[in-house]
Amino acid sequence: MKSVAEICSDLIRFDTTNPGSGERPAAEYVATLLAEAGLEPTVFESAPKRTTVVARIDGDSRDALLVHGHLDVVPADPAEWRLHPFSGEITDGCVYGRGAVDMKGSVAMTLSTVLGMLARGERPRRDLVLAFLADEEATGDYGSRHAVREHRELFDGVTEAISESGGFSVSSGGHRVYPIAVGERGTAWMKLTAHGVAGHGSRPPVDNPVATLAHALSRVAAHQWPVRLTPSVAALIRSLSEITGRPIDLDRLDAEAARLGALGSLFKGQIRNSANPTMLEAGYKVNVVPSTASAHVDGRFLPGLQEEFLATIDELLGPKITREFVNLEDAPDAPYPAPFFDELAASLVAEDPQARPVPYVMAGGTDAKSFAALGIKGYGFAPLMLRPDLDYFGMFHGKDERVPVEGLEFGTRVLTRLLT
């Protein structure tokens, strides 16, 4: 049987850039591994080459757990990398390439865990549903949304799920903290449009939509969003105070995040809503005032704060700007405290006695949003023990993305403890 590092390397060598040529080659690889191990994977496509694989393993309980991961990756420019981003090279104790962290490394850990269980004749404690999905790096329309909408029966009996962006180690000040995600911020990707009066660029403006939009975007970009402590983030901050032995001042959370360094990064992006202008489009000639101008904004809001977020956005934009959603998904959250969270934490501590598991809310989003529509409670748990010098957050969509081989092996052991 291939090692977890070899599976990760194989997966990276499939260029599944989104947008691009699709996930089919990687999905076929995954389906072949599962079939050779005796499973009967279901393979389906939402569009040509936009391929997803789902398999079920019977366990001792029909209360099923979903383990999901995505096969697509964001683009990578080879000229900016030390090693080719789709080489999957294993060197310096790491597997290099686009998707090593986000999230072909995690997919490899899932596959290695399950293939090992099947080879040893072990039965999971509960039914397992494995989903290897397309299109997470966009909206999920070709992946998790399609799976939930068109193949809902494949997820019958699933009550909880685990996936990316949690369970990794953060080392600081002699502490090794493992954040386990119990929620994530919601997504509001918006297209903004300003309408005005077209005219010659040399004349005094009558109603210039470019200027109107620029002023609105400036207000959005400059807005200081107030701190909003959700229960899960408040629990995280209490846990970090206890671990470090120094209370965190709730009235100075930005400064406290800076003081705590790597540990502060676990909450600095999760204490408020945010809105970032990301794209602009207007005009076609320098001496012509256009009749319209448009922009895109990436908005994120904390659980329970969607209405407050949108009301603030509308106030900042003003009456002359219209907005439409490119993508709107509510912020899912999972029970905490909860027995399943305790199971996740215990599996980490069993492999790393110095582990200090804490609750965590993701600043971004995952396919958990789609599965939340089925009532499935999603936790971020893709366990990795990382070297202190590796910038885990910087690896996401970054240059020279890589994952330690020892970290993958650690994660496979943790998942084996959890599932068997």
Side-chain angles (χ1 to χ4, degrees):
M1 190 176 80
K2 288 190 174 185
S3 70
V4 62
E6 290 171 328
I7 295 173
C8 179
S9 176
D10 288 347
L11 287 168
I12 288 171
R13 287 199 291 271
F14 297 111
D15 183 350
T16 54
T17 300
N18 187 4
S21 56
E23 297 84 2
R24 183 186 291 173
E28 290 176 342
Y29 172 85
V30 168
T32 298
L33 288 181
L34 296 175
E36 289 176 347
L39 299 180
E40 297 180 358
T42 300
V43 182
F44 55 86
E45 293 191 336
S46 54
K49 300 184 179 180
R50 306 311 304 271
T51 316
T52 288
V53 181
V54 179
R56 183 180 284 260
I57 305 174
D58 291 336
D60 294 326
S61 168
R62 304 304 293 178
D63 181 24
L65 172 68
L66 170 64
V67 184
H68 62 92
H70 61 87
L71 299 173
D72 61 324
V73 298
V74 297
D77 182 356
E80 297 179 341
W81 287 56
R82 186 171 70 87
L83 300 172
H84 195 283
F86 298 107
S87 69
E89 187 168 336
I90 303 174
T91 185
D92 301 327
C94 291
V95 185
Y96 279 76
R98 177 59 85 220
V101 167
D102 186 17
M103 65 170 297
K104 290 180 176 179
S106 299
V107 168
M109 291 192 300
T110 298
L111 288 168
S112 184
T113 298
V114 169
L115 296 178
M117 289 167 47
L118 295 172
R120 296 187 296 270
E122 296 173 348
R123 183 181 176 93
R125 287 188 292 164
R126 56 196 290 194
D127 277 15
L128 293 180
V129 176
L130 312 174
F132 305 93
L133 300 151
D135 199 37
E136 191 274 345
E137 295 293 359
T139 62
D141 281 342
Y142 294 107
S144 59
R145 289 182 180 176
H146 174 83
V148 165
R149 183 175 62 250
E150 303 295 335
H151 300 275
R152 183 171 183 154
E153 73 283 355
L154 296 176
F155 308 99
D156 285 349
V158 174
T159 54
E160 289 118 0
I162 58 173
S163 190
E164 61 183 320
S165 297
F168 53 91
S169 65
V170 179
S171 299
S172 180
H175 308 290
R176 194 147 60 230
V177 173
Y178 287 82
I180 298 172
V182 297
E184 55 190 60
R185 294 198 300 174
T187 301
W189 292 347
M190 297 169 285
K191 180 180 180 180
L192 312 179
T193 304
H195 297 274
V197 178
H200 200 287
S202 66
R203 296 172 184 167
V206 176
D207 188 3
N208 188 329
V210 177
T212 299
L213 183 63
H215 290 313
L217 291 176
S218 179
R219 292 192 296 271
V220 169
H223 181 65
Q224 294 297 311
W225 293 87
V227 170
R228 293 286 187 263
L229 274 188
T230 62
S232 297
V233 176
L236 165 64
I237 291 172
R238 288 195 299 271
S239 296
L240 294 178
S241 295
E242 180 182 316
I243 290 168
T244 61
R246 177 175 170 179
I248 295 174
D249 188 345
L250 299 182
D251 294 324
R252 302 175 60 255
L253 283 176
D254 293 308
E256 291 286 63
R259 173 179 68 82
L260 288 167
L263 296 182
S265 66
L266 297 179
F267 65 81
K268 69 179 181 180
Q270 290 87 337
I271 57 176
R272 52 171 60 91
N273 301 327
S274 67
N276 282 311
T278 54
M279 297 169 63
L280 284 169
E281 183 177 4
Y284 57 91
K285 200 170 187 292
V286 68
N287 62 343
V288 177
V289 175
S291 60
T292 63
S294 64
H296 285 74
V297 170
D298 183 342
R300 309 285 175 146
F301 53 90
L302 287 159
L305 296 179
Q306 178 178 332
E307 290 186 8
E308 177 183 304
F309 170 80
L310 293 177
T312 302
I313 286 291
D314 287 340
E315 182 179 350
L316 293 170
L317 294 179
K320 298 183 71 174
I321 303 293
T322 60
R323 62 169 170 83
E324 58 186 298
F325 293 114
V326 177
N327 187 37
L328 176 66
E329 294 180 292
D330 204 359
D333 57 356
Y336 175 83
F340 186 61
F341 181 95
D342 294 340
E343 290 182 38
L344 299 174
S347 65
L348 286 167
V349 174
E351 288 297 329
D352 179 8
Q354 297 183 45
R356 299 296 299 271
V358 297
Y360 169 64
V361 173
M362 285 179 268
T366 72
D367 282 324
K369 289 181 168 65
S370 296
F371 294 110
L374 300 181
I376 297 171
K377 302 300 184 182
Y379 292 82
F381 190 76
L384 282 173
M385 183 189 288
L386 299 169
R387 301 192 301 247
D389 62 338
L390 184 65
D391 180 7
Y392 178 73
F393 291 111
M395 293 295 100
F396 280 82
H397 302 184
K399 294 182 292 187
D400 296 326
E401 185 180 351
R402 60 198 181 275
V403 63
V405 173
E406 289 184 352
L408 294 173
E409 293 169 346
F410 169 82
T412 301
R413 294 194 301 271
V414 171
L415 289 176
T416 300
R417 285 187 178 273
L418 175 68
L419 301 180
T420 58

PDB file of all heavy atoms in Angstrom, residues 91-126:
ATOM      1  N   THR A  91      10.741  16.366  -0.740  1.00  0.00           N
ATOM      2  CA  THR A  91      12.101  16.763  -0.416  1.00  0.00           C
ATOM      3  C   THR A  91      12.108  17.570   0.860  1.00  0.00           C
ATOM      4  O   THR A  91      11.102  18.186   1.230  1.00  0.00           O
ATOM      5  CB  THR A  91      12.725  17.581  -1.580  1.00  0.00           C
ATOM      6  OG1 THR A  91      14.092  17.861  -1.289  1.00  0.00           O
ATOM      7  CG2 THR A  91      11.988  18.898  -1.788  1.00  0.00           C
ATOM      8  N   ASP A  92      13.239  17.553   1.562  1.00  0.00           N
ATOM      9  CA  ASP A  92      13.378  18.297   2.822  1.00  0.00           C
ATOM     10  C   ASP A  92      12.288  17.924   3.832  1.00  0.00           C
ATOM     11  O   ASP A  92      11.873  18.738   4.647  1.00  0.00           O
ATOM     12  CB  ASP A  92      13.345  19.816   2.578  1.00  0.00           C
ATOM     13  CG  ASP A  92      14.442  20.294   1.641  1.00  0.00           C
ATOM     14  OD1 ASP A  92      15.529  19.691   1.663  1.00  0.00           O
ATOM     15  OD2 ASP A  92      14.191  21.245   0.885  1.00  0.00           O
ATOM     16  N   GLY A  93      11.819  16.683   3.755  1.00  0.00           N
ATOM     17  CA  GLY A  93      10.815  16.226   4.700  1.00  0.00           C
ATOM     18  C   GLY A  93       9.418  16.731   4.429  1.00  0.00           C
ATOM     19  O   GLY A  93       8.534  16.584   5.282  1.00  0.00           O
ATOM     20  N   CYS A  94       9.196  17.332   3.247  1.00  0.00           N
ATOM     21  CA  CYS A  94       7.887  17.877   2.912  1.00  0.00           C
ATOM     22  C   CYS A  94       7.433  17.406   1.529  1.00  0.00           C
ATOM     23  O   CYS A  94       8.261  17.080   0.671  1.00  0.00           O
ATOM     24  CB  CYS A  94       7.902  19.407   2.919  1.00  0.00           C
ATOM     25  SG  CYS A  94       8.097  20.162   4.553  1.00  0.00           S
ATOM     26  N   VAL A  95       6.121  17.402   1.333  1.00  0.00           N
ATOM     27  CA  VAL A  95       5.549  17.213   0.010  1.00  0.00           C
ATOM     28  C   VAL A  95       5.204  18.603  -0.513  1.00  0.00           C
ATOM     29  O   VAL A  95       4.456  19.347   0.125  1.00  0.00           O
ATOM     30  CB  VAL A  95       4.281  16.338   0.045  1.00  0.00           C
ATOM     31  CG1 VAL A  95       3.794  16.065  -1.384  1.00  0.00           C
ATOM     32  CG2 VAL A  95       4.533  15.029   0.773  1.00  0.00           C
ATOM     33  N   TYR A  96       5.773  18.951  -1.684  1.00  0.00           N
ATOM     34  CA  TYR A  96       5.602  20.275  -2.256  1.00  0.00           C
ATOM     35  C   TYR A  96       4.556  20.247  -3.364  1.00  0.00           C
ATOM     36  O   TYR A  96       4.463  19.283  -4.128  1.00  0.00           O
ATOM     37  CB  TYR A  96       6.912  20.774  -2.862  1.00  0.00           C
ATOM     38  CG  TYR A  96       7.883  21.362  -1.870  1.00  0.00           C
ATOM     39  CD1 TYR A  96       8.619  20.537  -1.022  1.00  0.00           C
ATOM     40  CD2 TYR A  96       8.077  22.740  -1.777  1.00  0.00           C
ATOM     41  CE1 TYR A  96       9.524  21.072  -0.112  1.00  0.00           C
ATOM     42  CE2 TYR A  96       8.968  23.277  -0.870  1.00  0.00           C
ATOM     43  CZ  TYR A  96       9.695  22.445  -0.043  1.00  0.00           C
ATOM     44  OH  TYR A  96      10.580  22.972   0.861  1.00  0.00           O
ATOM     45  N   GLY A  97       3.805  21.344  -3.453  1.00  0.00           N
ATOM     46  CA  GLY A  97       2.933  21.518  -4.596  1.00  0.00           C
ATOM     47  C   GLY A  97       1.608  22.147  -4.227  1.00  0.00           C
ATOM     48  O   GLY A  97       1.211  22.197  -3.055  1.00  0.00           O
ATOM     49  N   ARG A  98       0.936  22.670  -5.258  1.00  0.00           N
ATOM     50  CA  ARG A  98      -0.359  23.293  -5.050  1.00  0.00           C
ATOM     51  C   ARG A  98      -1.359  22.252  -4.541  1.00  0.00           C
ATOM     52  O   ARG A  98      -1.559  21.223  -5.167  1.00  0.00           O
ATOM     53  CB  ARG A  98      -0.853  23.931  -6.342  1.00  0.00           C
ATOM     54  CG  ARG A  98      -2.233  24.542  -6.244  1.00  0.00           C
ATOM     55  CD  ARG A  98      -2.311  25.639  -5.155  1.00  0.00           C
ATOM     56  NE  ARG A  98      -1.892  26.940  -5.623  1.00  0.00           N
ATOM     57  CZ  ARG A  98      -1.164  27.789  -4.892  1.00  0.00           C
ATOM     58  NH1 ARG A  98      -0.779  27.463  -3.664  1.00  0.00           N
ATOM     59  NH2 ARG A  98      -0.835  28.966  -5.373  1.00  0.00           N
ATOM     60  N   GLY A  99      -1.947  22.553  -3.402  1.00  0.00           N
ATOM     61  CA  GLY A  99      -2.896  21.638  -2.785  1.00  0.00           C
ATOM     62  C   GLY A  99      -2.308  20.822  -1.657  1.00  0.00           C
ATOM     63  O   GLY A  99      -3.040  20.086  -0.991  1.00  0.00           O
ATOM     64  N   ALA A 100      -1.012  20.953  -1.393  1.00  0.00           N
ATOM     65  CA  ALA A 100      -0.401  20.165  -0.318  1.00  0.00           C
ATOM     66  C   ALA A 100      -1.119  20.389   1.008  1.00  0.00           C
ATOM     67  O   ALA A 100      -1.368  19.458   1.776  1.00  0.00           O
ATOM     68  CB  ALA A 100       1.082  20.523  -0.190  1.00  0.00           C
ATOM     69  N   VAL A 101      -1.478  21.652   1.264  1.00  0.00           N
ATOM     70  CA  VAL A 101      -2.224  21.992   2.471  1.00  0.00           C
ATOM     71  C   VAL A 101      -3.711  22.115   2.154  1.00  0.00           C
ATOM     72  O   VAL A 101      -4.560  21.666   2.933  1.00  0.00           O
ATOM     73  CB  VAL A 101      -1.674  23.302   3.080  1.00  0.00           C
ATOM     74  CG1 VAL A 101      -2.618  23.854   4.137  1.00  0.00           C
ATOM     75  CG2 VAL A 101      -0.297  23.056   3.700  1.00  0.00           C
ATOM     76  N   ASP A 102      -4.043  22.686   1.020  1.00  0.00           N
ATOM     77  CA  ASP A 102      -5.440  23.011   0.695  1.00  0.00           C
ATOM     78  C   ASP A 102      -5.875  22.318  -0.592  1.00  0.00           C
ATOM     79  O   ASP A 102      -5.846  22.916  -1.651  1.00  0.00           O
ATOM     80  CB  ASP A 102      -5.572  24.530   0.557  1.00  0.00           C
ATOM     81  CG  ASP A 102      -6.985  25.002   0.360  1.00  0.00           C
ATOM     82  OD1 ASP A 102      -7.910  24.234   0.634  1.00  0.00           O
ATOM     83  OD2 ASP A 102      -7.172  26.155  -0.085  1.00  0.00           O
ATOM     84  N   MET A 103      -6.439  21.046  -0.530  1.00  0.00           N
ATOM     85  CA  MET A 103      -6.359  20.228   0.642  1.00  0.00           C
ATOM     86  C   MET A 103      -6.076  18.767   0.282  1.00  0.00           C
ATOM     87  O   MET A 103      -6.638  17.840   0.833  1.00  0.00           O
ATOM     88  CB  MET A 103      -7.641  20.350   1.472  1.00  0.00           C
ATOM     89  CG  MET A 103      -8.895  19.832   0.815  1.00  0.00           C
ATOM     90  SD  MET A 103     -10.383  19.712   1.897  1.00  0.00           S
ATOM     91  CE  MET A 103      -9.909  18.517   3.145  1.00  0.00           C
ATOM     92  N   LYS A 104      -5.173  18.586  -0.695  1.00  0.00           N
ATOM     93  CA  LYS A 104      -4.860  17.231  -1.120  1.00  0.00           C
ATOM     94  C   LYS A 104      -4.093  16.448  -0.062  1.00  0.00           C
ATOM     95  O   LYS A 104      -4.169  15.216  -0.024  1.00  0.00           O
ATOM     96  CB  LYS A 104      -4.105  17.269  -2.452  1.00  0.00           C
ATOM     97  CG  LYS A 104      -5.002  17.696  -3.610  1.00  0.00           C
ATOM     98  CD  LYS A 104      -4.294  17.754  -4.940  1.00  0.00           C
ATOM     99  CE  LYS A 104      -5.295  18.088  -6.065  1.00  0.00           C
ATOM    100  NZ  LYS A 104      -4.619  18.182  -7.388  1.00  0.00           N
ATOM    101  N   GLY A 105      -3.390  17.165   0.814  1.00  0.00           N
ATOM    102  CA  GLY A 105      -2.764  16.488   1.935  1.00  0.00           C
ATOM    103  C   GLY A 105      -3.800  15.860   2.849  1.00  0.00           C
ATOM    104  O   GLY A 105      -3.646  14.714   3.296  1.00  0.00           O
ATOM    105  N   SER A 106      -4.865  16.583   3.126  1.00  0.00           N
ATOM    106  CA  SER A 106      -5.940  16.059   3.967  1.00  0.00           C
ATOM    107  C   SER A 106      -6.674  14.910   3.281  1.00  0.00           C
ATOM    108  O   SER A 106      -7.037  13.919   3.924  1.00  0.00           O
ATOM    109  CB  SER A 106      -6.929  17.180   4.311  1.00  0.00           C
ATOM    110  OG  SER A 106      -6.285  18.212   5.015  1.00  0.00           O
ATOM    111  N   VAL A 107      -6.900  15.052   1.978  1.00  0.00           N
ATOM    112  CA  VAL A 107      -7.519  13.958   1.223  1.00  0.00           C
ATOM    113  C   VAL A 107      -6.643  12.709   1.303  1.00  0.00           C
ATOM    114  O   VAL A 107      -7.143  11.590   1.491  1.00  0.00           O
ATOM    115  CB  VAL A 107      -7.743  14.379  -0.241  1.00  0.00           C
ATOM    116  CG1 VAL A 107      -8.114  13.177  -1.107  1.00  0.00           C
ATOM    117  CG2 VAL A 107      -8.833  15.436  -0.327  1.00  0.00           C
ATOM    118  N   ALA A 108      -5.332  12.891   1.188  1.00  0.00           N
ATOM    119  CA  ALA A 108      -4.413  11.760   1.282  1.00  0.00           C
ATOM    120  C   ALA A 108      -4.480  11.104   2.654  1.00  0.00           C
ATOM    121  O   ALA A 108      -4.430   9.867   2.770  1.00  0.00           O
ATOM    122  CB  ALA A 108      -2.990  12.221   0.975  1.00  0.00           C
ATOM    123  N   MET A 109      -4.601  11.903   3.726  1.00  0.00           N
ATOM    124  CA  MET A 109      -4.723  11.335   5.065  1.00  0.00           C
ATOM    125  C   MET A 109      -5.994  10.508   5.196  1.00  0.00           C
ATOM    126  O   MET A 109      -5.989   9.425   5.791  1.00  0.00           O
ATOM    127  CB  MET A 109      -4.691  12.438   6.118  1.00  0.00           C
ATOM    128  CG  MET A 109      -3.353  13.118   6.270  1.00  0.00           C
ATOM    129  SD  MET A 109      -3.242  14.177   7.728  1.00  0.00           S
ATOM    130  CE  MET A 109      -4.545  15.361   7.452  1.00  0.00           C
ATOM    131  N   THR A 110      -7.098  11.011   4.652  1.00  0.00           N
ATOM    132  CA  THR A 110      -8.352  10.262   4.691  1.00  0.00           C
ATOM    133  C   THR A 110      -8.210   8.940   3.953  1.00  0.00           C
ATOM    134  O   THR A 110      -8.594   7.873   4.457  1.00  0.00           O
ATOM    135  CB  THR A 110      -9.491  11.090   4.070  1.00  0.00           C
ATOM    136  OG1 THR A 110      -9.673  12.289   4.830  1.00  0.00           O
ATOM    137  CG2 THR A 110     -10.790  10.307   4.048  1.00  0.00           C
ATOM    138  N   LEU A 111      -7.646   8.994   2.746  1.00  0.00           N
ATOM    139  CA  LEU A 111      -7.473   7.777   1.964  1.00  0.00           C
ATOM    140  C   LEU A 111      -6.542   6.798   2.662  1.00  0.00           C
ATOM    141  O   LEU A 111      -6.830   5.597   2.749  1.00  0.00           O
ATOM    142  CB  LEU A 111      -6.933   8.123   0.579  1.00  0.00           C
ATOM    143  CG  LEU A 111      -7.915   8.812  -0.372  1.00  0.00           C
ATOM    144  CD1 LEU A 111      -7.183   9.360  -1.584  1.00  0.00           C
ATOM    145  CD2 LEU A 111      -9.020   7.850  -0.805  1.00  0.00           C
ATOM    146  N   SER A 112      -5.426   7.273   3.181  1.00  0.00           N
ATOM    147  CA  SER A 112      -4.472   6.400   3.849  1.00  0.00           C
ATOM    148  C   SER A 112      -5.099   5.745   5.076  1.00  0.00           C
ATOM    149  O   SER A 112      -4.900   4.553   5.336  1.00  0.00           O
ATOM    150  CB  SER A 112      -3.232   7.207   4.252  1.00  0.00           C
ATOM    151  OG  SER A 112      -2.252   6.367   4.831  1.00  0.00           O
ATOM    152  N   THR A 113      -5.877   6.523   5.822  1.00  0.00           N
ATOM    153  CA  THR A 113      -6.550   5.982   7.006  1.00  0.00           C
ATOM    154  C   THR A 113      -7.529   4.884   6.629  1.00  0.00           C
ATOM    155  O   THR A 113      -7.521   3.789   7.210  1.00  0.00           O
ATOM    156  CB  THR A 113      -7.295   7.109   7.742  1.00  0.00           C
ATOM    157  OG1 THR A 113      -6.362   8.088   8.183  1.00  0.00           O
ATOM    158  CG2 THR A 113      -8.060   6.565   8.938  1.00  0.00           C
ATOM    159  N   VAL A 114      -8.372   5.151   5.649  1.00  0.00           N
ATOM    160  CA  VAL A 114      -9.408   4.199   5.263  1.00  0.00           C
ATOM    161  C   VAL A 114      -8.798   2.959   4.619  1.00  0.00           C
ATOM    162  O   VAL A 114      -9.203   1.823   4.920  1.00  0.00           O
ATOM    163  CB  VAL A 114     -10.406   4.884   4.308  1.00  0.00           C
ATOM    164  CG1 VAL A 114     -11.334   3.871   3.670  1.00  0.00           C
ATOM    165  CG2 VAL A 114     -11.210   5.936   5.064  1.00  0.00           C
ATOM    166  N   LEU A 115      -7.825   3.148   3.737  1.00  0.00           N
ATOM    167  CA  LEU A 115      -7.195   1.999   3.086  1.00  0.00           C
ATOM    168  C   LEU A 115      -6.490   1.121   4.112  1.00  0.00           C
ATOM    169  O   LEU A 115      -6.514  -0.118   4.011  1.00  0.00           O
ATOM    170  CB  LEU A 115      -6.212   2.479   2.018  1.00  0.00           C
ATOM    171  CG  LEU A 115      -6.824   3.251   0.839  1.00  0.00           C
ATOM    172  CD1 LEU A 115      -5.729   3.719  -0.113  1.00  0.00           C
ATOM    173  CD2 LEU A 115      -7.858   2.414   0.103  1.00  0.00           C
ATOM    174  N   GLY A 116      -5.857   1.744   5.114  1.00  0.00           N
ATOM    175  CA  GLY A 116      -5.220   0.972   6.178  1.00  0.00           C
ATOM    176  C   GLY A 116      -6.235   0.181   6.981  1.00  0.00           C
ATOM    177  O   GLY A 116      -6.014  -1.000   7.313  1.00  0.00           O
ATOM    178  N   MET A 117      -7.353   0.805   7.330  1.00  0.00           N
ATOM    179  CA  MET A 117      -8.415   0.114   8.068  1.00  0.00           C
ATOM    180  C   MET A 117      -8.909  -1.102   7.301  1.00  0.00           C
ATOM    181  O   MET A 117      -9.050  -2.206   7.858  1.00  0.00           O
ATOM    182  CB  MET A 117      -9.580   1.067   8.324  1.00  0.00           C
ATOM    183  CG  MET A 117      -9.316   2.151   9.338  1.00  0.00           C
ATOM    184  SD  MET A 117     -10.612   3.447   9.306  1.00  0.00           S
ATOM    185  CE  MET A 117     -12.105   2.463   9.307  1.00  0.00           C
ATOM    186  N   LEU A 118      -9.181  -0.908   6.018  1.00  0.00           N
ATOM    187  CA  LEU A 118      -9.710  -2.003   5.212  1.00  0.00           C
ATOM    188  C   LEU A 118      -8.693  -3.123   5.054  1.00  0.00           C
ATOM    189  O   LEU A 118      -9.054  -4.309   5.093  1.00  0.00           O
ATOM    190  CB  LEU A 118     -10.133  -1.465   3.844  1.00  0.00           C
ATOM    191  CG  LEU A 118     -11.299  -0.465   3.856  1.00  0.00           C
ATOM    192  CD1 LEU A 118     -11.500   0.137   2.473  1.00  0.00           C
ATOM    193  CD2 LEU A 118     -12.587  -1.139   4.325  1.00  0.00           C
ATOM    194  N   ALA A 119      -7.425  -2.760   4.897  1.00  0.00           N
ATOM    195  CA  ALA A 119      -6.384  -3.782   4.750  1.00  0.00           C
ATOM    196  C   ALA A 119      -6.237  -4.618   6.021  1.00  0.00           C
ATOM    197  O   ALA A 119      -5.932  -5.819   5.952  1.00  0.00           O
ATOM    198  CB  ALA A 119      -5.053  -3.123   4.393  1.00  0.00           C
ATOM    199  N   ARG A 120      -6.484  -4.004   7.166  1.00  0.00           N
ATOM    200  CA  ARG A 120      -6.373  -4.726   8.450  1.00  0.00           C
ATOM    201  C   ARG A 120      -7.673  -5.411   8.841  1.00  0.00           C
ATOM    202  O   ARG A 120      -7.746  -6.066   9.882  1.00  0.00           O
ATOM    203  CB  ARG A 120      -5.946  -3.761   9.554  1.00  0.00           C
ATOM    204  CG  ARG A 120      -4.564  -3.166   9.371  1.00  0.00           C
ATOM    205  CD  ARG A 120      -4.142  -2.351  10.588  1.00  0.00           C
ATOM    206  NE  ARG A 120      -4.997  -1.183  10.800  1.00  0.00           N
ATOM    207  CZ  ARG A 120      -4.776   0.020  10.286  1.00  0.00           C
ATOM    208  NH1 ARG A 120      -3.724   0.206   9.482  1.00  0.00           N
ATOM    209  NH2 ARG A 120      -5.601   1.030  10.517  1.00  0.00           N
ATOM    210  N   GLY A 121      -8.708  -5.239   8.032  1.00  0.00           N
ATOM    211  CA  GLY A 121      -9.991  -5.850   8.332  1.00  0.00           C
ATOM    212  C   GLY A 121     -10.725  -5.180   9.474  1.00  0.00           C
ATOM    213  O   GLY A 121     -11.583  -5.801  10.117  1.00  0.00           O
ATOM    214  N   GLU A 122     -10.433  -3.911   9.732  1.00  0.00           N
ATOM    215  CA  GLU A 122     -11.064  -3.191  10.836  1.00  0.00           C
ATOM    216  C   GLU A 122     -12.381  -2.569  10.378  1.00  0.00           C
ATOM    217  O   GLU A 122     -12.532  -2.161   9.223  1.00  0.00           O
ATOM    218  CB  GLU A 122     -10.125  -2.109  11.363  1.00  0.00           C
ATOM    219  CG  GLU A 122      -8.856  -2.661  11.976  1.00  0.00           C
ATOM    220  CD  GLU A 122      -7.859  -1.575  12.354  1.00  0.00           C
ATOM    221  OE1 GLU A 122      -8.070  -0.417  11.928  1.00  0.00           O
ATOM    222  OE2 GLU A 122      -6.879  -1.897  13.046  1.00  0.00           O
ATOM    223  N   ARG A 123     -13.301  -2.456  11.324  1.00  0.00           N
ATOM    224  CA  ARG A 123     -14.616  -1.887  11.051  1.00  0.00           C
ATOM    225  C   ARG A 123     -14.733  -0.560  11.800  1.00  0.00           C
ATOM    226  O   ARG A 123     -14.379  -0.479  12.984  1.00  0.00           O
ATOM    227  CB  ARG A 123     -15.686  -2.856  11.537  1.00  0.00           C
ATOM    228  CG  ARG A 123     -17.129  -2.449  11.257  1.00  0.00           C
ATOM    229  CD  ARG A 123     -18.067  -3.519  11.824  1.00  0.00           C
ATOM    230  NE  ARG A 123     -19.471  -3.167  11.679  1.00  0.00           N
ATOM    231  CZ  ARG A 123     -20.232  -3.532  10.663  1.00  0.00           C
ATOM    232  NH1 ARG A 123     -19.694  -4.250   9.681  1.00  0.00           N
ATOM    233  NH2 ARG A 123     -21.510  -3.193  10.612  1.00  0.00           N
ATOM    234  N   PRO A 124     -15.182   0.496  11.143  1.00  0.00           N
ATOM    235  CA  PRO A 124     -15.305   1.781  11.845  1.00  0.00           C
ATOM    236  C   PRO A 124     -16.385   1.723  12.921  1.00  0.00           C
ATOM    237  O   PRO A 124     -17.315   0.916  12.856  1.00  0.00           O
ATOM    238  CB  PRO A 124     -15.669   2.769  10.743  1.00  0.00           C
ATOM    239  CG  PRO A 124     -16.290   1.932   9.671  1.00  0.00           C
ATOM    240  CD  PRO A 124     -15.600   0.607   9.736  1.00  0.00           C
ATOM    241  N   ARG A 125     -16.265   2.612  13.890  1.00  0.00           N
ATOM    242  CA  ARG A 125     -17.217   2.643  15.004  1.00  0.00           C
ATOM    243  C   ARG A 125     -18.613   3.059  14.549  1.00  0.00           C
ATOM    244  O   ARG A 125     -19.601   2.722  15.184  1.00  0.00           O
ATOM    245  CB  ARG A 125     -16.730   3.609  16.081  1.00  0.00           C
ATOM    246  CG  ARG A 125     -15.554   3.087  16.885  1.00  0.00           C
ATOM    247  CD  ARG A 125     -15.255   4.003  18.047  1.00  0.00           C
ATOM    248  NE  ARG A 125     -14.754   5.295  17.618  1.00  0.00           N
ATOM    249  CZ  ARG A 125     -14.701   6.364  18.391  1.00  0.00           C
ATOM    250  NH1 ARG A 125     -15.167   6.305  19.626  1.00  0.00           N
ATOM    251  NH2 ARG A 125     -14.212   7.501  17.939  1.00  0.00           N
ATOM    252  N   ARG A 126     -18.679   3.815  13.473  1.00  0.00           N
ATOM    253  CA  ARG A 126     -19.960   4.243  12.931  1.00  0.00           C
ATOM    254  C   ARG A 126     -19.853   4.270  11.421  1.00  0.00           C
ATOM    255  O   ARG A 126     -18.748   4.247  10.864  1.00  0.00           O
ATOM    256  CB  ARG A 126     -20.324   5.634  13.477  1.00  0.00           C
ATOM    257  CG  ARG A 126     -19.264   6.695  13.198  1.00  0.00           C
ATOM    258  CD  ARG A 126     -19.436   7.944  14.038  1.00  0.00           C
ATOM    259  NE  ARG A 126     -20.606   8.726  13.645  1.00  0.00           N
ATOM    260  CZ  ARG A 126     -20.809   9.987  14.051  1.00  0.00           C
ATOM    261  NH1 ARG A 126     -19.958  10.575  14.868  1.00  0.00           N
ATOM    262  NH2 ARG A 126     -21.886  10.642  13.664  1.00  0.00           N
TER     263      ARG A 126
END
